Amino acid sequence: MEREEILSAIYHCVKCKLCSISSFHPNEEWLPLCPSGQFYGYQAFYAPGRLEIFREILEGELSEPSDGLLKAAYACTLCGACYEKCKQITSVEIRLPELFEELRRELVKKGWILDAHKNIVEKIKETRNAYGEKVEYRAKSVYGADVLYFIGCTARYRVPEIADAMLQIFDKLGIKYQVMDEEWCCGSVLLRTGQIEAAKELMEHNIEAIKRSGANIVVFTCPGCLNTIEKNYPDMGVELVHSTQFLTRLGNMEVKKLDMKVAYHDPCHLGRDLGIYDAPRAVLKGVVDITEMKREREQAWCCGSGGGVKSAFDDFALWSAGERIKEAREAGVEVLVSACPFCKRNLREAGEKEGMKVYDVVELVNKGLEG
Amino acid sequence: MKLKQSKFIKELQAIVGEENATDDRAICASYSRDQHWHFVPAKNPACVVRPANKEEVREVLMLANKEKIPVIPYSTGINVRGLTIPVYDGSILLDLSRMNRILEINPEMKTATVEPGVTFGMLLEKTKKYKLRPAFPDAPLTVSVLVNYYLRGIYQTAAADGHDHVLSYEMVLPNGEIIKTGSRALSQMPYFRYGVGPDFTGLFCAHPGTCGVVTELTAKLYRLYDNRKVYFVGFDNVSTPTKFIYNLMNDELAASIRLVDSQSWLKGICGTFDYPYEKLPKFVLCILVEGLNGIFEAKDKLVVGYIKESGGKVLDFPEDFKRTFEEESLGGAEKSCMVFGLRGNYHCIGLYGPLTLAAKYYELHEKTALEVGIPKDHVHFYLDPIYSFHGQLCYVELDIFYDGSELRFGEKLRNYNEKQFQRLLDLGIYGWFRPYAGIIEPTVARIGYLAEVWKKFLEVLDPNGIMNRGKLF
Ligand SMILES: Cc1cc2nc3c(=O)[nH]c(=O)nc-3n(C[C@H](O)[C@H](O)[C@H](O)COP(=O)(O)OP(=O)(O)OC[C@H]3O[C@@H](n4cnc5c(N)ncnc54)[C@H](O)[C@@H]3O)c2cc1C
Ligand code: SF4
Ligand code: SF4
């Protein structure tokens, strides 16, 4: 974004703070929407305050880094809930998550980076994955298959049960698939934390590998990877789909209905970024009964881990997830389902103490197929 | 009034806890501006303090008073007039948003007592089960109830609520003394405004700034009725509907009556940008009738009769437009803010005056705007009559919706203001909707000795001048 474009967006914010709550009138309930503002409290952590910080940086008034600056800039999950709300009341677009990513780029240019985020770059340089893991996740692969499964770092190294489930689904349905011999981090975490230069090499590698694979469809269980490859990579002439879109298309899966009532948590990258709300619900409905939580779809409460928050501000990330767990509990369920490995990891961690079970959609589908 | 930074911030942290006071430059920057920045330039406070209760407020004020450091109370910070933007270097921004308890809802007394951080949305969520609601401004329902009422000048979305919603409150003064107004000063029953001689509740309210820090306030609640009906009637000018408005007000028939510009406010009232508004008459009178069985039907019948003889055109809007108008009027404004988003920014002069002058106010608005080079399609209007209609009291808003990123437009707005304030004062107004910096100076010049008394009054309450006085005196 050009400087003028950024300032113009900042000038258009009327500081109404409606972006801090979900739509009030449908239920006349006061439901916070911005995890960062709700957790930290100072105006700096709400969208309108963060915009003012950005303005002062662009206008040269804030010329030194400080703890508060780094926290205000990076302790935002880039969940985009604020933008969804702002869009409803203004016809002049204030694209908040994009602006906040720009803010981070500006800070990175000045060398104002969190140690936690620098460490990720180091880990990726060394191991090509965001967690610095050296042991490869192994999966059998049919060379030249039409479907390529892009697993992503989190499903490979932190919640492998999601990758396992997806692979088993392919097998059970008799779908031939391949995985990349050398799948590198998609670069999402680097792009979201403003470190775009460091992401370039990863992107180049993955583009080559995807093209080389000859696949026509790339399936993702990670909406973060999908969003990044869709929006930040050039068009590679392949179709990019989320696991739940892929499964809805199959249509005639014979899945046994499980005796389970669940709440579905919309992942930010899948919902707000990619507009995919119905596919996960459609797939889930075939396997379990779903209950909606109060904040859902465009106005879902974020799980708290995105935008580099989990690695740098784990207390905040877990608090956010805890709020979601409470909401699921209020909806009367003991199982919370998401469609994103990053959400699952954080929600599971927060849910453990609370006795809330957390799954990914593909895990339940896989269970249903077993029956 | 220089702040001895690090020592002072430590003293503040000792009062409110380390994480609730900071002098971090970036955190302070986030409080530096509101949407009135064409008039009140950005300025950072030196530190931000977030007390949890009135004891902490008191200690902070006493410390600031001792050191002669300016204090800016801030409850939700959504005012649109630069009221929480510091004037002086080294100011403390007192962010009261942690104090967000609803202390009492008393359905028998039809009252609510709230702390500064309680918003209209939070309050309605709790009062609706008693079929009660606060009087809503057209401000987003994220604003502080306490401050909106304390600043006075609420223009409410339901005309029937009248003008005064505050019963009594408690305020901490810079010297640490606590003042209670109305019956609150005498008993545990804070439900009567005029308890002890003069109307002290009114006296400390509605300054272009603040006299102290209000830590709790008791306000009126109003009834919610199940029977409701909405009408939209179009007119080509401001003067034709005035007789109609007079009839509705005189017979006390409608809960909400708003004469709005169809190219601006109506979009918020209907809740969508997506409608062929350009095909509508220039002004639309939005009417909401409500009431108990029997009374409701009788009122509705009379309203329908007046509509017939109004000379306006009844507009057949979709049901969801009607629902949005009901929600915005009786459930808190959420979509009305869409007018701000028409071109991105908003400027208005809000005033109180009689219905008899409505058409003249609009005429003057257009004239002055065109003179200073503001295009005609940026010029908009809003009128809201107020019960019980003595003096034919109306809230009138002369609006300009513009693109704030066009920096030179600011110059036009400043020229507009300079001329328009004087012209309106010459034409005759009852008062400004909430006095603020810029508008109050030419006004004070006309009020004679009252200005001296006002100044002295503030000096007694705040001899060191530490409270955020709204840039006056
Ligand atoms: C889109 C939009 C539409 C609006 N429309 C309306 C409208 O229709 N009607 C209307 O009435 N207003 C309207 N406003 C203005 C605004 O909402 C009100 O001024 C608001 O109620 C006050 O802002 P606040 O509650 O956030 O107070 P703040 O901004 O926190 O404070 C405002 C002033 O009060 C002082 N103050 C704050 N807390 C205290 C305290 N505890 N004790 C003493 N002084 C204190 C501050 O120092 C400052 O001078 C609108 C605002 C927006 C953004
Ligand atoms: S970002 Fe949009 S919704 Fe949030 S305060 Fe600014 S204008 Fe209002
Ligand atoms: S992106 Fe999410 S966390 Fe960040 S300001 Fe917006 S709502 Fe808050």
Side-chain angles (χ1 to χ4, degrees), chain B residues 429-460:
Chain B
I429 62 167
Y430 287 153
W432 302 116
F433 165 73
R434 204 172 286 161
Y436 52 89
I439 211 164
I440 192 66
E441 297 84 346
T443 315
V444 163
R446 296 184 182 220
I447 62 172
Y449 191 60
L450 186 60
E452 270 306 296
V453 175
W454 192 356
K455 188 171 170 203
K456 291 212 169 87
F457 172 79
L458 287 174
E459 281 167 4
V460 171

Side-chain angles (χ1 to χ4, degrees), chain A residues 4 7-31 40-45 48-50 52-53 55-56 59 61-63 66-70 72 85 87-92, chain B residues 19-22 24-27 29-35 37 42 44 48 50 74 76-78 80 95 97 119 121-122 124-125 128 140-142 273 327-328 331-335 337-338 340-345 403-405 407:
Chain A
E4 293 315 309
L7 282 173
S8 165
I10 296 173
Y11 291 158
H12 287 149
C13 167
V14 295
K15 317 284 179 224
C16 66
K17 242 169 153 174
L18 279 166
C19 50
S20 67
I21 56 156
S22 68
S23 288
F24 182 78
H25 283 139
N27 303 311
E28 290 179 334
E29 263 187 274
W30 182 264
L31 300 169
Y40 291 101
Y42 288 102
Q43 178 77 347
F45 296 89
R50 194 171 282 120
E52 285 310 305
I53 294 177
R55 179 188 58 76
E56 290 215 354
E59 291 176 350
E61 284 164 50
L62 267 180
S63 50
S66 65
D67 287 349
L69 173 63
L70 295 181
K85 193 69 197 307
K87 257 195 319 204
Q88 291 181 359
I89 53 153
T90 173
S91 53
V92 185
Chain B
E19 60 192 39
N20 294 310
T22 179
D24 186 283
R25 287 263 303 133
I27 304 290
S30 67
Y31 295 84
S32 63
R33 229 174 49 137
D34 69 11
Q35 82 98 42
W37 52 271
N44 293 2
V48 182
R50 304 185 70 230
Y74 168 111
T76 41
I78 303 176
V80 277
D95 180 340
S97 54
T119 65
M122 289 176 188
L124 179 71
E125 180 185 296
K128 67 176 180 188
L141 45 70
T142 41
F273 291 113
E327 286 170 351
E328 295 288 301
E334 200 170 22
K335 293 283 168 64
C337 310
M338 285 167 62
F340 284 62
L342 286 179
R343 292 199 171 79
N345 298 74
D403 179 351
S405 61
L407 296 181

